[in-house]
């Protein structure tokens, strides 16, 4: 049975489904590879080439494009074909990765930061196209198997980036490793051009067919949401320098101010984008037929979903919980790379295998076990028990910093990854349970963005705290950062099912 709004082509189900499953595997490998490059391979390269802990921590801010990609998602919907967005992003990422490998020799210049952020922006943009294209490409009966395939392909890509790039760097050089990664991205870009256009499989109006009347407001919102925070943060950084403030103080403060401005503008941009989309639909309804009211109802449903979520009596506790439950892990992640390099003196190849292969495998096993236990125990008991395992496992790294033998270090890293997976299962289950079925996409995307923002902010500040404290004490402190979430659990248990006040919708 086809998804609502689609007219399925008469294609033999078996062979056609296998072909689409193959595309899903390829596309989600393409989605996971650049994410792994930015979040796994680049932090290790920074550490191996002598970059300061502060700059290694600031690399976490490259995760912000994945958090705020909803700002420019309407542009991807309106213009061009999905495969063209994918191919262009992958090809441009290949160029930026080569440039990064050629220019980066241990000095973090503005150009290096621009290249890293550029890869992240392009990766987040191709994620939009891949997710939307996959939804359009698959039939309802194919969604179950396709979800399993895409998760597996994504994890394989993370292993390829987290282990493959460091292994090549250890055998040859970092420059050769980045060139190899760029070649893979180029090959993926070429493959995406072979995807058959969605119109050959389904006949369904797309927002691009409605005209580009909302493009101006969307572009302005995007430029405003990205440019103004950078200008404000840069101005503060310059003025604080003139006032004699130390770099260790003005850098994190500039980042914090920029993030606050970005958050405010992101909320305003999301509202204006939805309003522009609704106005454009109203103006083109006579041309688009039934597509106009449908798209307008989507925009209204998005607003209703946010309004209903924010009207919940327990919403403040929910948002604080989304910010803090993974805070300890988020604060520690970026510092594990320099610790394994400079504290435990592991090679690039060994770190790649430890974090990029064994760590990911342990995390998957932990998530599967955590999901099973969450089903057996219920969400709140699992949050207490598995959340404590997640928090206490940070002491493994603290102990390894005091006794950095290989067995201890490997045990600490695998244990932390496993327990992180344990905690992830009930956490995601809780976020999903908060969302109403009728508004699940909007509400879950917002809660995920809140969690993603906390992860980037905690990582950005990690180097500034680890430098004076040292690895061992800092890893112990990250345990304390996980505790506020548990103080919220009693309030959440009482109020998370509270009825939404009348008039919220």
């Amino acid at each position: 049975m086809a998804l609502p709004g689609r007219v399925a082509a008469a294609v033999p189900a078996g062979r056609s489904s296998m072909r689409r499953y193959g595309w899903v595997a390829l596309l989600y490998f393409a989605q996971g590879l650049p994410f792994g490059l930015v979040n796994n391979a680049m932090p290790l390269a920074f550490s191996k080439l002598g970059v300061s802990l502060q700059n290694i921590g600031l690399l976490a801010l490259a995760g912000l494009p994945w958090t705020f990609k909803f700002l420019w998602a309407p542009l991807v919907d309106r213009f061009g074909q999905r495969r063209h967005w994918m191919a262009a992003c992958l090809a441009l990422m290949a160029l930026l990765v080569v440039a990064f490998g050629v220019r980066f020799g241990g000095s973090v210049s503005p150009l290096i930061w621009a290249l890293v952020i550029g890869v992240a922006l392009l990766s987040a943009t191709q994620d939009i196209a891949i997710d939307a294209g996959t939804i359009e490409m698959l039939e309802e009966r194919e969604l179950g198997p396709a979800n399993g395939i895409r998760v597996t392909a994504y994890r394989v890509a993370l292993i390829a980036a987290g282990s493959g790039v460091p292994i090549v760097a250890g055998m040859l050089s970092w420059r050769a490793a980045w060139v190899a990664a760029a070649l893979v991205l180029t090959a993926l870009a070429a493959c995406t051009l072979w995807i058959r256009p969605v119109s050959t499989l389904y006949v369904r109006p797309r927002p691009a067919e409605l005209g580009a009347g909302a493009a101006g407001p969307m572009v302005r919102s995007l430029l405003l949401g990205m440019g103004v925070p950078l200008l404000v943060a840069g101005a503060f950084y310059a003025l604080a320098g003139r006032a004699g403030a130390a770099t260790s103080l003005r850098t994190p403060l500039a980042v914090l101010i920029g993030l606050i401005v970005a958050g405010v503008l992101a909320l305003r941009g999301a509202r204006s984008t939805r309003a522009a989309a609704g106005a454009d639909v109203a103006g083109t309804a006579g041309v688009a037929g039934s597509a106009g009211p449908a798209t307008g109802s989507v925009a209204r449903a998005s607003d209703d979903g946010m309004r209903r979520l924010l009207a919940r009596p327990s919403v403040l506790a929910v948002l604080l919980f989304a910010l803090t439950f993974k805070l300890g892990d988020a604060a520690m992640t970026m510092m594990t790379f320099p610790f394994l390099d400079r504290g435990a003196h592991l090679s690039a190849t060994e770190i790649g295998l430890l974090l990029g292969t064994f760590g990911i495998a342990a995390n998957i096993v932990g998530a599967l076990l955590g999901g099973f236990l969450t089903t057996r125990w219920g969400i709140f008991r699992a949050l207490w028990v598995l959340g404590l395992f997640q928090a206490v496992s940070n002491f493994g790294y603290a102990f390894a910093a005091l006794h950095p033998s290989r067995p201890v270090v490997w045990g600490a890293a695998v244990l932390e990854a496993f327990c992180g997976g344990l905690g992830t299962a009930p956490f995601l289950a809780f976020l999903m349970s908060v969302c109403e079925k009728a508004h699940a996409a909007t509400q879950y995307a917002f809660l995920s963005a809140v969690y993603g923002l906390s992860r980037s902010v905690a990582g950005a500040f990690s180097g500034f705290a680890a430098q004076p404290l040292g690895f061992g004490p800092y890893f112990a402190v990250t345990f304390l950062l996980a505790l506020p979430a548990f103080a919220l659990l009693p309030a959440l248990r009482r109020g998370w099912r509270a009825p939404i006040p009348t008039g919220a919708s």
Side-chain angles (χ1 to χ4, degrees):
M1 176 178 162
L3 288 176
R6 294 178 176 176
V7 179
V11 182
R15 183 176 300 177
S16 178
S17 293
M18 292 305 296
R19 184 171 66 247
R20 288 195 283 268
Y21 293 153
W23 282 120
V24 169
L26 181 102
L27 293 177
Y28 280 90
F29 182 88
Q31 188 178 104
L33 186 64
F35 186 89
L37 292 177
V38 172
N39 291 280
N40 294 329
M42 287 183 178
L44 180 55
F46 270 40
S47 180
K48 282 295 182 183
L49 294 175
V51 174
S52 68
L53 294 184
Q54 290 92 335
N55 279 324
I56 294 173
L58 287 173
L59 191 58
L61 293 177
L64 290 175
W66 285 287
T67 300
F68 291 118
K69 63 186 177 183
F70 65 88
L71 280 174
W72 60 94
L75 295 175
V76 179
D77 264 340
R78 281 187 175 272
F79 301 108
Q81 295 186 25
R82 308 296 190 200
R83 57 179 182 156
H84 294 157
W85 279 100
M86 300 171 200
C89 288
L90 286 164
L92 289 172
M93 277 190 283
L95 291 175
L96 295 186
V97 168
V98 169
F100 176 85
V102 170
R103 299 291 298 181
F104 181 57
S107 176
V108 184
S109 64
L111 174 61
I112 295 301
W113 284 121
L115 292 172
V116 172
I117 297 298
V119 172
L121 279 169
L122 290 167
S123 178
T125 303
Q126 78 145 4
D127 287 1
I128 298 166
I130 288 174
D131 290 338
T134 302
I135 291 170
E136 292 178 344
M137 181 170 58
L138 296 172
E139 295 190 34
E140 188 174 12
R141 60 181 171 78
E142 298 169 337
L143 292 177
N147 279 328
I149 291 169
R150 72 176 188 171
V151 170
T152 302
Y154 194 92
R155 295 291 186 179
V156 170
L158 293 182
I159 292 173
S163 292
V165 170
I167 288 173
V168 175
M171 296 173 58
L172 300 174
S173 67
W174 278 105
R175 182 171 295 184
W178 299 121
V179 170
L183 290 174
V184 176
L185 290 170
T186 302
L188 290 168
C191 288
T192 56
L193 292 175
W194 287 92
I195 299 177
R196 295 175 63 190
V198 174
S199 59
T200 64
L201 298 175
Y202 305 105
V203 179
R204 186 172 69 88
R206 282 186 50 192
E209 299 166 8
L210 301 178
M218 290 177 192
V219 173
R220 285 195 296 273
S221 295
L222 178 57
L223 294 177
L224 185 71
M226 295 173 60
V228 172
L230 289 174
L231 288 174
V232 172
F236 174 85
Y237 185 85
L239 291 173
R242 287 178 176 270
T247 302
S248 59
L249 176 64
R250 59 182 172 141
T251 300
L253 285 178
V255 168
L256 182 60
I257 290 171
L259 287 172
I260 292 172
V261 174
V264 173
L265 292 176
L267 291 175
R268 292 188 61 186
R271 179 175 291 276
S272 64
T273 293
R274 288 194 296 269
D280 182 57
V281 166
T284 57
V287 176
S290 61
T295 310
S297 66
V298 170
R300 288 192 298 274
S302 178
D303 281 329
D304 289 345
M306 287 298 301
R307 195 178 301 115
R308 290 176 65 85
L309 176 65
L310 296 177
R312 283 177 175 268
S314 59
V315 66
L316 181 59
V318 170
L319 295 179
L320 288 174
F321 186 76
L323 281 168
T324 57
F325 185 73
K326 285 279 188 178
L327 195 59
D329 277 10
M332 186 177 68
T333 298
M334 295 305 294
M335 290 300 103
T336 59
F337 296 97
F339 164 67
L340 295 173
D341 172 27
R342 303 170 189 180
H345 306 291
L346 302 185
S347 67
T349 298
E350 196 170 1
I351 295 172
L353 287 172
L354 176 55
L355 296 182
T357 301
F358 290 95
I360 290 177
N363 188 264
I364 293 171
V365 173
L368 292 173
L369 179 59
F372 172 76
L373 293 175
T374 300
T375 302
R376 291 287 300 272
W377 294 345
I379 290 176
F380 277 92
R381 182 183 177 189
L383 286 172
W384 275 108
V385 177
L386 302 183
L388 284 173
F389 271 98
Q390 173 183 271
V392 171
S393 67
N394 290 15
F395 282 119
Y397 268 109
F399 182 76
L402 299 176
H403 305 280
S405 64
R406 270 176 168 70
V408 172
V409 170
W410 273 72
V414 172
L415 176 66
E416 194 280 329
F418 173 76
C419 292
L422 285 178
T424 297
F427 176 60
L428 295 183
F430 171 75
L431 295 186
M432 291 178 182
S433 69
V434 169
C435 301
E436 300 171 278
K437 291 184 182 297
H439 305 284
T442 297
Q443 294 177 354
Y444 187 76
F446 177 71
L447 294 173
S448 298
V450 170
Y451 159 59
L453 180 62
S454 72
R455 181 177 56 195
S456 296
V457 174
F461 283 90
S462 62
F464 294 92
Q467 182 66 47
L469 291 177
F471 288 120
Y474 176 73
F475 290 143
V477 167
T478 62
F479 166 77
L480 300 177
L481 295 177
L483 296 182
F486 295 97
L488 294 167
L489 282 174
L492 286 174
R493 187 156 200 168
R494 289 193 302 269
W496 71 317
R497 297 290 194 189
I500 297 169
T502 304
S505 59

